[in-house]
Amino acid sequence: FRQQDNLQSSNIHKINFISIVSNYTMASKESFLPLATDESADLEVPMYSPEVPPTEFGMSSVQSNNATTPVTGEQHLYCNYCCDTRRAVLVVNVVSIVINLVVLLVVNVGFNFIINHPDEVEQDMTEEEKANLEQALHSGYLEMVEAMTDAFLVLSIAMHGCGIYGALKFKKWAVATAGSAYAISFILHLMGGSFFNVILAGALGYPHYFFMKEMNEGIMSDYNYHNVAHCCGGK
């Protein structure tokens, strides 16, 4: 009987111990974290909190706000006041595409009218101008000029489209492609003596340089853009 009593007492103690451990485990709301070891001391393990969902970049909003990116320069705002260079690149390329589309439409309408209605165009011309127009029509010079103008405008639209893509996706090659379009326009207008267009090409083209510079310096990236975004002087 004494051995049987000891066995029953031992079973009771085991049952009580298991019950206490089970109640503590079920009642605890704290996350289980593994103990640090010497091998893991130097490792940077990303922390995840189930109460804060991760963002599209794989970090929670709290963690992304605390994330830092090493930088080697200062941020530049368009015209030293307006928006950040990424938004500036987006806006100037959209404006340039709209302008080129309008010019493309006007050029095609104008050349087609001249080619199809030469008599109406020649009404207010001198004899010399009429002779030159007739020669251009018969030699196909106007069609060639129209085709070259269309090709230049379409290429320009494609390059500005690369600028929009580069600004959205932080692609340096695409931003450089759009910047090249403004550089070519700057040189052509400078050679032609159109100083207003020279100033316009420079004003629209220079944010591409600073945007690429800030990407190289780590100021501007898809991971920290929310920390440096500016619009009209404010975030």
Side-chain angles (χ1 to χ4, degrees):
F1 291 104
R2 184 175 300 175
Q3 292 179 352
Q4 186 175 3
D5 291 339
N6 292 335
L7 180 61
Q8 291 178 352
S9 177
S10 176
N11 291 334
I12 292 173
H13 287 304
K14 290 180 179 179
I15 293 172
N16 290 336
F17 176 77
I18 294 173
S19 177
I20 292 173
V21 172
S22 176
N23 292 334
Y24 175 78
T25 305
M26 295 178 63
S28 177
K29 296 183 179 179
E30 296 182 357
S31 304
F32 173 76
L33 296 177
L35 295 176
T37 62
D38 295 337
E39 296 179 356
S40 62
D42 297 332
L43 298 178
E44 295 183 1
V45 181
M47 303 299 295
Y48 170 73
S49 174
E51 299 178 356
V52 184
T55 63
E56 58 179 329
F57 300 120
M59 295 188 301
S60 67
S61 58
V62 176
Q63 295 162 349
S64 62
N65 290 334
N66 294 331
T68 58
T69 302
V71 297
T72 59
E74 296 182 359
Q75 183 183 6
H76 176 82
L77 298 181
Y78 186 59
C79 297
N80 289 326
Y81 173 76
C82 193
C83 54
D84 59 79
T85 54
R86 183 196 183 207
R87 290 182 179 177
V89 169
L90 282 171
V91 171
V92 299
N93 282 285
V94 169
V95 171
S96 296
I97 289 176
V98 172
I99 293 175
N100 285 330
L101 287 174
V102 173
V103 173
L104 183 64
L105 177 63
V106 172
V107 166
N108 281 272
V109 171
F111 273 102
N112 288 332
F113 181 80
I114 295 173
I115 294 172
N116 297 325
H117 304 86
D119 295 335
E120 297 181 18
V121 177
E122 293 176 354
Q123 289 179 359
D124 298 328
M125 288 185 176
T126 63
E127 293 298 328
E128 183 179 356
E129 291 174 342
K130 290 180 182 180
N132 292 333
L133 179 60
E134 290 293 336
Q135 182 180 0
L137 289 172
H138 293 301
S139 63
Y141 176 77
L142 291 181
E143 289 85 352
M144 183 182 65
V145 172
E146 180 184 8
M148 292 178 61
T149 305
D150 290 347
F152 177 80
L153 291 173
V154 170
L155 178 60
S156 179
I157 291 172
M159 295 177 74
H160 293 306
C162 288
I164 296 175
Y165 171 76
L168 291 175
K169 300 297 183 180
F170 296 88
K171 301 295 184 181
K172 297 177 185 178
W173 67 265
V175 177
T177 301
S180 300
Y182 290 107
I184 294 172
S185 178
F186 180 89
I187 295 173
L188 292 177
H189 290 305
L190 183 63
M191 294 174 61
S194 180
F195 295 105
F196 173 78
N197 289 324
V198 168
I199 296 174
L200 182 62
L204 297 179
Y206 97 89
H208 296 74
Y209 166 77
F210 282 99
F211 183 42
M212 293 184 61
K213 180 173 179 290
E214 290 176 354
M215 283 193 291
N216 290 330
E217 293 175 347
I219 299 174
M220 193 77 67
S221 69
D222 52 349
Y223 292 100
N224 67 349
Y225 177 70
H226 61 281
N227 292 324
V228 296
H230 281 78
C231 182
C232 298
K235 289 190 175 182

